[in-house]
Structure formats: structure tokens, C-alpha cells
Amino acid sequence: MKLYKTVIIRREGCPEHLYKTILEMSPNSMLPYGDIEVVAKPEENEKAELVERIVSYCQANNLPWSSALGGGRPGTYAYEIFRKYELQDLTSAKLLNLSRGNLIQLKSERDEQGRLLMDASKARAGRKIGRIEPNWIIIPESVRKIIAAGNFKGLEYGEVALRGTSARASTEPFWELKSSLTLPKMANTDRFVSVNSVPFDGDYTKMVWINDPPYRSGEIHYRERDLKALGEFDVARTLEKYEEPHPALVVSQRFYQHCLKNKIPLAVEPVRIDTE
């Protein structure tokens, strides 16, 4: 896993003595409008150490922290770490969250039968996988046959209905990836927030995110003992509406390896399993 680290000091509202000291620590990091920004890419060890020194100095002097989203708030230091997963991170994880892949359609609707509607113009021949906003994952029949050969536990398919006509539309049907299984509650519910970063109130009808500062985004955690009650599986949906107005899909390493072998591109992130 590669880590990108960023610290931003807002000129507005920052005590003058703190601002001057931080600028002395990093004299080439002042932006045209006066804010200070230091970005450390992976393997830029000296810059990463500089980011950590600035953060420690801000903390020691009680300068408030804020999210780096939008550049941070006036009178704060904004500190963020972005995780970039490498193949080894993905192939070593027992479970993986199907995150947002290739977006092919913004509008998400269903017909009276509950079938996901896809514009015929988006049903191009040769497409292997795609995402309809927010994160409904669709595949063509040819890919469904490849995946079905793996006999994956918990995997289901929902029929996709085409809307309109297009000369470019494939003649094969499309399917939505679904699951018959529901996962237990995530282990890190204490870090859940809902819309506008409001602390989670236990209402599972709401969308939730995992707040894990200084990391830009959180990671899903499950307790090993909770997963044992579900038994072995390959595809399951989260109990929570995780980052979307619908449950997310979690897949096994076996499912991921099958897709890798058959060149089916999945966008995934590791799921952490806690032993205690």
C-alpha cells in the first residue's frame, strides 16, 4: 500500500507566530494566496517526515484539525493520508468491497418488475462490466457465464431491462450482480457518520461512511467471530447502506481471483477482519 500525505495550513485565522514558524520549516511550500501546503508522495521520505513534523507542531500548539477536503477551514491545519492499494494488498485480503468501477450510466431507475433499466445505447457489444449510478454493477451474458462457472456461494443475478433502441446495442442480455446473503454489522460502527458528517444514530435506513481521520476514507472492518455465523461465502451484501443509498457488495478472494484470471476488471478495496 502506498501512502500520500498532505498538510495544509490556512493563512486565514492562523496565529502569526505559528504561521511564521511553519513557513520557516518549509519555506518553499507557500501557495500564491498565502496558505502553506506540503504534499508527500510515496517514497518521498523527507517530505513525509516534514509533513509529520508540521502536524506534530500544530498539535503541540493546539491548532485545530480539519479535513483537507476543500483545503481545510480557516484557523486550522488540514492533514490527510490517502491510501493507494497495490495488487499485493488486494490479493492478500480474504474479502474485498466492490467499490466504484467504470461508470456507464448516471440515471438509475427500475421498472415495475424491479429490473434495473439501462439505456440501449449503453449496452455496447464487448462490454465486460460497468456501473450504473450509484453502484449497481452490470455484466453481459457472456461474462455471466464465465462467472457462473465458478459456482460462487451467495451470488445472484438480476435481469437488466433495456430502455429504448440503439444500433450499437448488443444482442446478448445484461445482468445485475446481486447476492442472497446479508453480512453482519460492521465492527467499526463507532466511526460511522451519515450525511454531512453527522454522527451515526443507529438508523440503518441512512447511508453511512466510515470516518477515519487523518485518512481520506475509512476501511470496512468485520469481527471474525461475526463472519463465522454466516459461514463461507463468495458474494454478500452489507447490512449498511455503505457510501451509497443501497448496500454494497463484498466478495471473496476466490471470486476476485476468478475475475482476474478471466480479465474481468473489478474495482475493489480490502475488507479488514478483526480477530478480537
Side-chain angles (χ1 to χ4, degrees), residues 129-199:
I129 193 167
R131 170 174 68 89
I132 294 178
E133 185 74 15
N135 198 24
W136 305 114
I137 300 167
I138 61 97
I139 55 173
E141 172 64 14
S142 55
V143 172
R144 188 198 68 80
K145 288 179 178 178
I146 293 171
I147 292 177
N151 295 315
F152 295 112
K153 183 178 179 181
L155 177 60
E156 290 186 339
Y157 306 95
E159 185 181 355
V160 174
L162 294 190
R163 175 170 46 196
T165 59
S166 172
R168 302 169 60 193
S170 172
T171 57
E172 64 177 332
F174 280 76
W175 302 89
E176 174 190 355
L177 291 185
K178 304 177 77 172
S179 177
S180 59
L181 302 175
T182 301
L183 287 155
K185 292 180 181 180
M186 295 180 193
N188 46 342
T189 56
D190 59 314
R191 293 191 175 273
F192 282 3
V193 293
S194 53
V195 177
N196 296 323
S197 298
V198 175

Side-chain angles (χ1 to χ4, degrees), residues 54-88:
I54 292 173
V55 169
S56 295
Y57 180 75
C58 292
Q59 292 173 338
N61 287 274
N62 299 314
L63 192 66
W65 171 89
S66 70
S67 170
L69 186 65
R73 298 193 307 271
T76 70
Y77 76 97
Y79 175 43
E80 177 182 86
I81 302 175
F82 172 70
R83 300 180 179 100
K84 183 174 177 59
Y85 298 108
E86 299 180 277
L87 183 60
Q88 182 179 355

Side-chain angles (χ1 to χ4, degrees), residues 25-42:
M25 295 167 68
S26 182
N28 298 318
S29 60
M30 187 173 71
L31 301 174
Y33 42 86
D35 292 355
I36 297 170
E37 180 179 60
V38 182
V39 179
K41 298 178 182 178

Side-chain angles (χ1 to χ4, degrees), residues 102-120:
N102 180 36
L103 176 65
I104 62 172
Q105 180 177 304
L106 282 170
K107 194 172 185 180
S108 174
E109 290 184 305
R110 294 183 182 270
D111 63 13
E112 293 179 353
Q113 300 175 49
R115 298 179 301 178
L116 194 62
L117 295 174
M118 182 168 68
D119 294 338

